[in-house]
Amino acid sequence: MSQDIRTILKKAFPAAIVEQEAETEDYLEVRPGEWFEIATFLHDTPELKFDSLQCITGVDWGPEAHLEVRYNLHSMEHKHKLEIRIVLDRTAPEVPSVEKIWRVADWFEREVYDMYGIVFTGHRNLRRILLPDDWVGWPLRKDYETPETYHGIVVPKIKEEWE
Amino acid sequence: MVLNIGPQHPSTHGVLRLKVKTDGEIVSEITPIIGYLHRCFEKHCENLSYEQVIPYTDRCDYIASMNNNFGYVVAVEELMGIEVPERVEYIRVIMAELNRIASHLLALGTYGLDIGAFTPFLYMFRDRERILDLFEMTCGARLLYNYMWVGGLSHDLPVGFVEAAYDFLDYFEPQVKEYNDLLTYNKIFIERTADIGVLPAEVAINYGVTGPNLRGSGVAWDLRKAEPYSVYDRFEFDIPVGKGLVGSVGDCWDRYWVRVQEMLESVKIIRQALQKMPSEGDVHAALPKKVRPPKGSIYKRTESPRGDLGYYIISSGKPVPFRIKMRSPAFTALCVLDEIARGWMISDVLAILGSLDIVLGEIDR
Amino acid sequence: MGVLEHKFQDNIVVASVDKLLSWARSTSPWYFQFGLACCAIEMMATAASRHDLERIGMMPRSSPRQADVMIVSGTVTLKMGLRVKRLYEQMADPKYVIAMGSCATSGGPYWKYGYHVLKGVDLVVPVDVYIPGCPPRPEALLDGLLKLQEKIRHERPLTRKTGT
Ligand code: SF4
């Protein structure tokens, strides 16, 4: 990421950008509060014009630590890219949805919700996407336990002697 | 009326369910319901070592396994800073392009099947078998190869591969004309696909649609040219884009046509690669003793037959990846279905769905 | 063969008709065109040009009601497992199930960490023939189908002696 994008964003949203130790790192950490405004800014400003959202990744840093969402943005016009990271609280993970800006985020966010239980506020249709609606738990969290049965079908547990 | 298509339906390309709200014959809303093939790829990645993940990437997009391997190993190599030998790079490109042809053949064949043309399917499968023979010769597997390893390949090319590959290319190029006669310029086929399901370029970009679907809308965006990885910058090839030859730009026929042209481009690349490939070199030379990338993360995309295939890898310095996320091109392609299929007839929905060329293994992972 | 079951005694006529019936059935088991995952691609390859399933009398049907054999080709997930069961129930008797590939047999590569994978389709429907492999080669599938035909040929539907 070029230094300019960082400077532009810092000028526009001084409070929302988290200071990083190494300025050279190629990502930007923002606070969840103003994320929707930042995203709109990134999408609409002509010299940034991040028109394509590549990927949304959820990360769980362990049962004692926090959750995190990472966005990979790309601009088809300027051919530059940017990674945004948002750190979230584990007990009540909430982040504004950007589904209205990049329509592809609709499904990406649903997937992250499905796997991590991160709530995207403002999403118009936040349901499970891959797992069945009546599934319990957030499978990609590090402390997830596989259920014993699902609708009467046995899900065998890991048996070490099968190795 | 609400109509359920799937999860078992011959033309949904696997286990996909579409909830179609219709007004008479006209579709007013489509809700794709996915996840019937969710095989917990990402959970497996967090429990297996970097090398062990490779076979699982095969099984995500099972039609283009080589390209999946390719994307993954390129990402891990960049994270570790490994330089692979020239010969390996060329072999990888050859394999990836052969697999691209095979994947497009399957996509076009089944697309014909969806529309109701059975014969092209048999023709295309016949030629696809020849590519699978080449793969089988190289690594012993027909469908899921586990051929590319981090830093190298599992085997060198077998004796006689180069000749066999040339043989295949010489055989294949004239075949494309046959497909064109059979399907591409078939009157009925054009009627069913031209002007149907138009996907405008801005919508495609906003929905993250990539690959042939995006190029069908007239955007010349190909990662092999735009962000060249491996040795793709050394080849001459064009990016075919949809021109609206029989309808408007971005319709089903354009998406189909782009795939046909891409097969010819792949043939070009393979020919050049076979020529330029160094004849000597150890494919195991750069294999690391331990695959243990330093702490950090990387998002790397490559061009799979369906579009941008991205891997987001977070390493915590252990031999086991901390997190791997796969950004699959078919996932975003299916996302746009609702947008472009509204207002069309039910029978057109299947034509549109087929033209997006989705693979459920990759969508659900 | 619900209606005819146990209505006959074993005599020379019944035995011959019995044989004829099972022979006729064994040569044309229509299969249910039902692809799940990677194995489905191999199933398609088997049905297409080079291997040509139709030469052993197997034809794809798109509806479970017209099919005799269900080839479970691929990973069955929990979400899909319930549907597979329902599809099986929709098929008309006599019906057979083939578990194609290691996923359908036991969960395959997804055995250990697959929280959402059904560990073997035999947990929801009865299976007649298991075909190992990941994916099984078309030849293996053909072999499995021939095994199934053999099994059907040894069945005696009227007098209800099960085959080998
Ligand atoms: S057995 Fe292997 S090839 Fe078949 S569905 Fe399972 S993973 Fe795919």
Side-chain angles (χ1 to χ4, degrees):
Chain A
M1 183 188 70
S2 63
Q3 230 27 53
D4 322 343
I5 304 175
R6 181 190 295 273
T7 337
I8 295 174
L9 274 176
K10 264 201 181 141
K11 225 163 89 203
F13 301 93
I17 313 286
V18 178
E19 287 295 329
Q20 284 152 234
E21 284 156 31
E23 284 274 300
T24 48
E25 292 261 26
D26 48 1
Y27 66 87
L28 206 64
E29 197 179 325
V30 304
R31 296 201 173 80
E34 268 183 276
W35 168 228
F36 184 81
E37 287 75 29
I38 298 176
T40 321
F41 181 77
L42 286 172
H43 182 264
D44 293 344
T45 316
E47 62 264 33
L48 298 176
K49 204 156 184 342
F50 284 101
D51 49 4
S52 103
L53 173 64
Q54 282 294 319
C55 181
I56 301 181
T57 316
V59 188
D60 178 7
W61 288 101
E64 281 85 48
H66 51 266
L67 298 173
E68 195 176 330
V69 198
R70 298 185 175 182
Y71 298 78
N72 288 86
L73 305 175
H74 178 259
S75 163
M76 296 289 247
E77 196 180 309
H78 303 297
K79 309 241 184 322
H80 54 208
K81 55 186 184 195
L82 174 66
E83 185 176 321
I84 301 277
R85 299 185 180 180
I86 303 177
V87 172
L88 301 170
D89 179 27
R90 196 183 180 78
T91 43
E94 273 192 13
V95 64
S97 162
V98 291
E99 163 244 0
K100 292 191 185 101
I101 305 167
W102 297 285
R103 288 291 296 132
V104 63
D106 182 355
W107 279 26
F108 277 146
E109 284 176 353
R110 276 175 71 188
E111 192 192 334
V112 175
Y113 168 74
D114 197 356
M115 295 295 152
Y116 290 96
I118 294 171
V119 177
F120 291 87
T121 47
H123 192 293
R124 284 170 286 186
N125 185 17
L126 196 64
R127 287 181 296 123
R128 285 194 184 267
I129 184 166
L130 294 177
L131 295 168
D133 286 333
D134 53 0
W135 193 265
V136 186
W138 314 110
L140 280 187
R141 287 203 186 180
K142 298 278 178 195
D143 51 1
Y144 178 71
E145 294 265 335
T146 310
E148 308 252 328
T149 57
Y150 171 75
H151 281 267
I153 303 174
V154 190
V155 187
K157 285 274 182 169
I158 298 168
K159 296 195 184 71
E160 291 306 329
E161 63 266 28
W162 281 79
E163 298 264 301
Chain B
M1 188 178 78
V2 178
L3 185 73
N4 257 311
I5 306 179
Q8 181 278 319
H9 191 274
S11 62
T12 49
H13 294 240
V15 280
L16 162 72
R17 183 168 144 220
L18 298 176
K19 226 157 112 191
V20 185
K21 250 195 211 136
T22 60
D23 182 6
E25 269 281 288
I26 309 291
V27 173
S28 57
E29 192 187 339
I30 298 186
T31 324
I33 297 175
I34 58 176
Y36 289 101
L37 195 53
H38 176 54
R39 297 190 280 191
C40 332
F41 168 69
E42 283 157 22
K43 191 77 174 177
H44 282 85
C45 292
E46 291 173 12
N47 289 299
L48 301 167
S49 69
Y50 282 93
E51 302 95 318
Q52 285 172 326
V53 170
I54 298 174
Y56 286 89
T57 63
D58 272 339
R59 280 155 184 77
C60 280
D61 179 354
Y62 35 77
I63 298 176
S65 302
M66 287 284 186
N67 296 75
N68 279 25
N69 286 180
F70 201 5
Y72 176 73
V73 295
V74 165
V76 177
E77 278 160 12
E78 195 170 315
L79 197 57
M80 293 178 71
I82 299 178
E83 279 280 323
V84 282
E86 285 260 298
R87 186 174 162 83
V88 173
E89 296 278 25
Y90 279 101
I91 297 178
R92 282 182 181 176
V93 168
I94 293 170
M95 290 301 159
E97 293 306 316
L98 279 174
N99 210 168
R100 189 183 308 274
I101 298 178
S103 161
H104 282 341
L105 280 176
L106 191 133
L108 303 177
T110 49
Y111 188 41
L113 207 59
D114 290 352
I115 305 273
F118 191 71
T119 322
F121 169 75
L122 294 175
Y123 277 67
M124 288 172 188
F125 258 69
R126 182 193 61 195
D127 299 342
R128 181 172 174 268
E129 287 285 335
R130 294 189 61 139
I131 301 179
L132 298 191
D133 283 349
L134 288 178
F135 287 149
E136 198 178 336
M137 194 172 159
T138 318
C139 60
R142 278 167 52 88
L143 193 64
L144 307 169
Y145 314 106
N146 188 13
Y147 182 58
M148 296 181 195
W149 288 358
V150 177
L153 303 165
S154 70
H155 306 69
D156 202 342
L157 289 180
V159 181
F161 178 87
V162 177
E163 294 77 37
Y166 273 125
D167 264 0
F168 167 72
L169 296 179
D170 292 340
Y171 161 81
F172 180 72
E173 257 174 323
Q175 292 296 323
V176 175
K177 189 180 169 300
E178 198 173 75
Y179 307 149
N180 283 343
D181 291 346
L182 266 172
L183 195 60
T184 315
Y185 297 109
N186 182 320
K187 185 90 175 43
I188 305 170
F189 183 71
I190 291 179
E191 291 280 305
R192 285 291 312 266
T193 53
D195 277 328
I196 306 276
V198 177
L199 174 62
E202 319 81 66
V203 176
I205 291 173
N206 198 5
Y207 270 91
V209 175
T210 47
N213 297 333
L214 180 62
R215 293 194 280 275
S217 300
V219 184
W221 174 258
D222 188 325
L223 283 175
R224 289 174 292 172
K225 275 256 201 268
E227 288 175 12
Y229 52 96
S230 193
V231 287
Y232 273 113
D233 45 357
R234 302 187 199 167
F235 303 119
E236 301 254 324
F237 62 99
D238 303 322
I239 309 175
V241 292
K243 298 197 187 86
L245 290 182
V246 297
S248 38
V249 177
D251 58 4
C252 291
W253 193 85
D254 269 354
R255 289 194 280 276
Y256 166 89
W257 182 79
V258 164
R259 291 200 176 89
V260 178
Q261 295 312 107
E262 253 175 41
M263 294 199 293
L264 291 175
E265 297 303 321
S266 291
V267 170
K268 263 196 222 165
I269 298 177
I270 299 170
R271 275 194 200 282
Q272 293 171 39
L274 284 171
Q275 246 161 32
K276 289 190 192 164
M277 182 170 65
S279 55
E280 291 298 310
D282 181 7
V283 296
H284 292 154
L287 286 186
K289 286 244 163 48
K290 265 195 224 121
V291 184
R292 189 179 280 203
K295 260 192 189 162
S297 65
I298 187 172
Y299 177 71
K300 180 82 186 162
R301 2 177 232 171
T302 53
E303 182 81 23
S304 95
R306 266 155 276 282
D308 291 14
L309 172 74
Y311 283 97
Y312 195 100
I313 304 180
I314 302 179
S315 161
S316 55
K318 299 215 179 72
V320 176
F322 186 76
R323 169 92 170 95
I324 291 184
K325 155 99 188 175
M326 182 184 184
R327 179 249 192 243
S328 67
F331 189 77
T332 51
L334 186 59
C335 190
V336 82
L337 177 70
D338 179 37
E339 181 84 18
I340 58 174
R342 273 187 204 185
W344 295 100
M345 304 262 199
I346 295 173
S347 55
D348 294 332
V349 169
L350 296 178
I352 296 169
L353 181 68
S355 76
L356 290 174
D357 181 23
I358 53 167
V359 170
L360 262 293
E362 197 186 35
I363 292 175
D364 297 346
R365 276 153 291 152
Chain C
M1 282 280 145
V3 197
L4 303 177
E5 199 181 322
H6 299 310
K7 295 269 164 30
F8 300 94
Q9 251 132 44
D10 217 354
N11 64 38
I12 191 155
V13 179
V14 171
S16 319
V17 174
D18 225 9
K19 249 191 192 161
L20 180 70
L21 271 179
S22 55
W23 170 80
R25 266 172 38 193
S26 74
T27 46
S28 67
W30 289 358
Y31 67 95
F32 182 22
Q33 182 190 353
F34 168 47
L36 281 168
C38 352
C39 284
I41 306 296
E42 282 299 72
M43 186 174 82
M44 269 158 73
T46 319
S49 318
R50 189 178 289 180
H51 299 281
D52 191 13
L53 262 184
E54 252 166 76
R55 74 202 152 100
I56 59 168
M58 311 218 29
M59 213 164 85
R61 303 304 300 178
S62 306
S63 156
R65 313 221 182 246
Q66 300 166 341
D68 306 308
V69 183
M70 176 156 97
I71 304 180
V72 182
S73 53
T75 321
V76 186
T77 59
L78 294 178
K79 201 170 173 181
M80 195 63 200
L82 302 171
R83 270 62 174 194
V84 170
K85 196 170 170 196
R86 189 172 311 159
L87 286 169
Y88 177 75
E89 281 158 4
Q90 283 175 351
M91 282 164 66
D93 267 336
K95 50 192 172 186
Y96 305 91
V97 177
I98 292 182
M100 177 184 181
S102 48
C103 279
T105 312
S106 69
Y110 301 95
W111 157 261
K112 201 167 171 199
Y113 303 106
Y115 51 86
H116 188 238
V117 175
L118 184 64
K119 311 290 157 49
V121 71
D122 44 7
L123 290 173
V124 288
V125 294
V127 177
D128 292 275
V129 178
Y130 296 91
I131 305 172
C134 180
R137 297 178 55 85
E139 290 88 341
L141 177 60
L142 281 170
D143 188 44
L145 293 170
L146 290 174
K147 283 259 154 42
L148 180 73
Q149 294 195 342
E150 203 172 300
K151 177 176 174 167
I152 301 175
R153 194 152 45 235
H154 285 102
E155 257 172 23
R156 293 291 169 263
L158 296 182
T159 47
R160 249 321 173 194
K161 261 188 249 149
T162 35
T164 41

